[in-house]
């Protein structure tokens, strides 16, 4: 069958996570011309020659669901921590024990999940946008009972994924329908389905306890990450006594990979904490970091952004400067920003980012990756947060989920440090790390208010 002759598929979605079907009436849908209905347990799909016909058929199905209870969003961080998080206050002149939080956020790819599947009676071919075609093949095999030799997954030109398309939800759904009907089928998720049924970047709690001597040298450091992950949980600063640990936790929502994994949140917590220590010590935030670093590569990116932005600067009223750095997958990044605070609104005016990933092979592509990663990080820093209640995602449209817009983008300068003496490493993830803590530190510089949760919201 040609792709143009394929049937269009719509999936019956549960009203909340974990709901199961009690009763189902598909008679009205099946009576519609050209409509086919597939049911396998709680998996129910309709297929038709036109999308609008499939949509009408789906609306005609009457289903009664058994729903289960779900935790409230207000209890999220206590659930992840296992108890109420440590109060976010500094204690003592030379000690600091603070808790940081991060909400779930969505990947928001321009292209939602989609798949074309065709079953010829012996072999199943699935076209889908995925970052892991062999893993998707295994998922299709598990769902259909076919062997790996019977399933082929083809990845055409694909829209963005950001770690969100590792799994093959749409591919599996299309494959099940194609095999059941013996027809080629097309399935494209709506934006609402993408927000609701795709996995999210994990929410998390990070608790840091630290101490320093009378000269501002950090002497001990303990960092515990609950749920969001172990990436970049180790501090790059030269601390004599240190311990960093990741603790798995039960997640109320489905979660998975995201650009930089947990390194983004671990870096936010650490770099915010370093700013807190600098403030307690009465030292400049840049000088304090450099004094506690022995890694020359990290020092280089920090000095590059500081020089470019004119650190420490003299901010105008309502303005603030902030700086932060990070390291992940053997590449280094630092960001310095100038922000303006008007009421409760934060506007990033300038952002300087320095990046070093060894020898540079293609500076134009590298520049695009670095700037793109930083802009993506603006969303998690200032706006993005999944809202949920009673097992339902309420922020399930772009009208209710805020991503960076053109007017949010600051004047950006990108500094690429080319180290021909060091082998090249990847640059797709690390650039996102340092924008959020830099903004948070700039907000403190402008207002005196220390924000410890992502996204950064002024009270």
């Amino acid at each position: 069958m040609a792709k143009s002759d394929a049937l269009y598929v719509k999936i019956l979605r549960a009203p909340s996570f974990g709901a199961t079907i009690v009763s189902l009436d598909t008679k009205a849908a099946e009576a519609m011309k050209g409509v086919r209905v597939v049911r396998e347990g709680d998996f129910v799909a309709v297929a038709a020659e036109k999308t609008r016909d499939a949509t009408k058929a789906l609306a005609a199905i009457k289903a009664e669901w058994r729903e289960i209870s779900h935790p409230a969003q207000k209890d999220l961080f206590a659930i992840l921590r296992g108890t109420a998080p440590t109060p976010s206050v500094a204690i003592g002149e030379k000690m600091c024990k603070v808790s940081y939080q991060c909400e779930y956020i969505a990947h928001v790819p321009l292209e939602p999940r989609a798949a074309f599947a065709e079953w010829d009676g012996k072999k199943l071919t699935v076209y889908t946008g995925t970052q892991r075609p062999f893993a998707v093949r295994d998922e299709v095999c598990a769902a259909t009972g076919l062997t790996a030799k019977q399933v082929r997954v083809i990845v055409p030109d694909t829209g963005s994924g950001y770690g969100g398309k590792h799994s093959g939800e749409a591919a599996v759904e299309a494959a099940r329908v194609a095999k059941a009907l013996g027809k080629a089928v097309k399935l494209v998720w709506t934006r609402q389905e993408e927000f609701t049924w795709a996995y999210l970047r994990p929410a998390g709690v990070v608790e840091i306890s630290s101490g320093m001597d009378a000269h501002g040298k950090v002497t001990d450091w303990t960092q515990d990450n609950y749920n969001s992950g172990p990436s970049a949980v180790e501090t790059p600063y030269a601390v004599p006594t240190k311990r960093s640990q990741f603790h798995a936790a039960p997640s109320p929502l489905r979660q998975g990979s995201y650009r930089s994994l947990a390194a983004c949140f671990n870096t936010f917590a650490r770099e915010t904490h370093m700013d807190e220590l600098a403030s307690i010590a009465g030292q400049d935030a840049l000088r304090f970091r450099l004094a506690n670093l022995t890694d020359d590569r990290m020092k280089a990116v920090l000095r590059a952004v500081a020089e470019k932005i004119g650190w420490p600067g003299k901010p105008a009223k309502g303005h603030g400067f902030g700086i932060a750095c990070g390291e992940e997958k053997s590449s280094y990044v630092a960001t310095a920003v100038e922000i303006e605070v008007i009421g409760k609104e934060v506007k990033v005016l300038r952002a300087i980012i320095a990046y070093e990933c060894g020898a540079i092979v293609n500076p134009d592509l590298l520049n695009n990756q670095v700037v793109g990663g930083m802009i993506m990080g603006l969303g998690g820093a200032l706006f993005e947060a999944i809202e949920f209640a009673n097992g339902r995602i309420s922020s399930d449209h772009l009208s209710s989920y805020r991503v960076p817009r053109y007017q949010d983008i600051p004047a950006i300068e990108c500094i690429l440090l080319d180290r021909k003496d060091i082998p090249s490493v990847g640059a797709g993830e690390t650039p996102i790390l340092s924008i959020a803590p830099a903004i948070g530190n700039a907000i403190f510089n402008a207002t005196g208010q220390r924000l410890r949760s992502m996204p950064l919201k002024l009270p």
Side-chain angles (χ1 to χ4, degrees):
M1 177 181 284
K3 292 186 177 68
S4 59
D5 297 326
L7 301 179
Y8 291 87
V9 173
K10 290 290 182 180
I11 307 297
L12 181 67
R13 303 295 181 188
S16 62
F17 300 128
T20 54
I21 294 175
V22 175
S23 65
L24 186 73
D25 183 355
T26 61
K27 293 178 182 178
E30 291 172 321
M32 295 180 179
K33 184 180 179 180
V35 170
R36 305 281 297 275
V37 177
V38 173
R39 181 181 183 183
E40 297 175 358
D42 289 322
F43 176 76
V44 179
V46 295
E49 292 181 358
K50 295 181 179 179
T51 302
R52 65 172 180 265
D53 293 335
T55 302
K56 290 179 181 178
L58 186 67
I61 293 177
K62 296 178 182 179
E64 181 183 352
W65 298 85
R66 178 181 292 110
E67 300 187 55
I68 60 177
S69 61
H70 292 271
Q73 186 167 7
K74 65 181 179 61
D75 299 323
L76 171 61
F77 299 123
I79 292 169
L80 300 181
R81 175 63 179 83
T83 183
T86 299
S88 295
V89 292
I91 55 175
E93 294 184 358
K94 302 301 177 185
M95 295 181 63
C96 192
K97 188 173 184 179
V98 183
S99 176
Y100 306 89
Q101 293 85 39
C102 178
E103 298 280 358
Y104 293 104
I105 68 175
H107 298 80
V108 201
L110 183 62
E111 174 192 81
R113 283 159 174 74
F116 173 90
E118 186 171 15
W119 168 249
D120 66 4
K122 294 182 180 179
K123 291 186 178 180
L124 183 70
T125 303
V126 182
Y127 294 80
T128 192
T130 179
Q131 297 168 263
R132 301 172 68 226
F134 293 102
V136 171
R137 181 194 62 186
D138 293 341
E139 290 181 50
V140 170
C141 290
T144 60
L146 299 174
T147 66
K149 291 183 178 180
Q150 292 177 286
V151 177
R152 184 184 183 194
V153 174
I154 298 174
V155 181
D157 290 342
T158 301
S160 53
Y162 312 121
K165 293 179 179 177
H166 283 185
S167 52
E169 297 87 347
V172 168
E173 291 170 346
R176 292 176 74 172
V177 177
K179 186 171 182 290
L181 297 180
K183 297 281 189 179
V185 301
K186 295 179 182 180
L187 172 64
V188 179
W189 277 18
T190 64
R191 183 60 59 185
Q192 185 179 26
E193 287 176 307
E194 185 72 31
F195 270 119
T196 304
W197 301 103
Y199 59 82
L200 307 167
R201 187 181 78 175
V205 175
V206 166
E207 291 184 350
I208 299 177
S209 178
S210 64
M212 58 183 170
D213 63 22
H215 304 289
K217 288 283 189 178
V218 181
T219 56
D220 56 271
W221 183 280
T222 300
Q223 181 163 337
D224 290 284
N225 178 299
Y226 297 89
N227 188 66
S228 69
S231 298
V233 72
E234 299 286 344
T235 179
Y237 294 97
V239 183
T241 303
K242 56 186 176 181
R243 177 188 66 79
S244 299
Q245 190 171 355
F246 163 65
H247 309 270
S251 173
L253 300 181
R254 186 175 174 227
Q255 58 187 21
S257 296
Y258 187 95
R259 192 173 195 172
S260 83
L261 303 171
C264 194
F265 179 39
N266 279 321
T267 299
F268 169 79
R270 186 192 67 244
E271 287 300 293
T272 303
H273 197 86
M274 287 297 290
D275 236 58
E276 303 208 47
L277 290 178
S279 180
I280 292 171
Q283 293 189 20
D284 171 76
L286 172 65
R287 189 177 302 114
F288 182 80
R289 284 173 170 80
L290 293 174
N292 282 283
L293 280 170
T294 56
D295 191 323
D296 289 335
R297 296 173 70 185
M298 189 74 86
K299 288 182 178 181
V301 290
L302 275 169
R303 287 175 172 140
V305 295
E307 180 181 358
K308 196 69 175 179
I309 207 167
W311 187 272
K314 294 182 179 180
K317 184 178 180 180
H319 288 224
F321 289 90
I323 197 167
C325 59
E327 184 267 333
E328 173 70 346
K329 296 181 173 65
S330 301
S331 58
Y332 292 76
V333 64
T335 304
V337 300
E338 179 184 359
I339 59 104
E340 181 181 15
V341 178
I342 304 174
K344 294 183 179 181
E345 298 297 318
V346 176
K347 174 70 175 177
V348 183
L349 304 176
R350 288 194 296 157
I352 315 297
I353 184 167
Y355 196 72
E356 191 262 277
C357 56
I360 297 175
V361 177
N362 188 319
D364 288 339
L365 289 180
L366 177 59
N367 183 85
N368 291 342
Q369 284 286 342
V370 173
V371 173
M374 187 182 71
I375 292 173
M376 185 176 179
L378 277 174
L382 292 174
F383 315 117
E384 294 185 55
I386 285 290
E387 302 292 335
F388 64 96
N390 302 318
R392 298 166 171 84
I393 303 295
S394 54
S395 52
D396 58 357
H397 290 79
L398 285 171
S399 59
S400 56
Y401 185 91
R402 178 84 150 81
V403 294
R405 302 167 182 163
Y406 281 115
Q407 64 264 33
D408 300 317
I409 309 305
I412 297 172
E413 294 184 65
C414 179
I415 304 167
L416 303 179
L417 304 183
D418 191 3
R419 291 292 302 270
K420 296 300 187 188
D421 57 319
I422 300 174
S424 303
V425 292
E429 300 195 73
T430 311
I432 198 175
L433 299 186
S434 51
I435 183 66
I439 293 172
N441 295 337
I443 292 172
F444 178 77
N445 181 240
T447 68
Q449 298 183 74
R450 180 67 70 184
L451 304 182
R452 300 183 177 97
S453 294
M454 294 174 65
L456 299 159
K457 299 289 185 182
L458 283 165

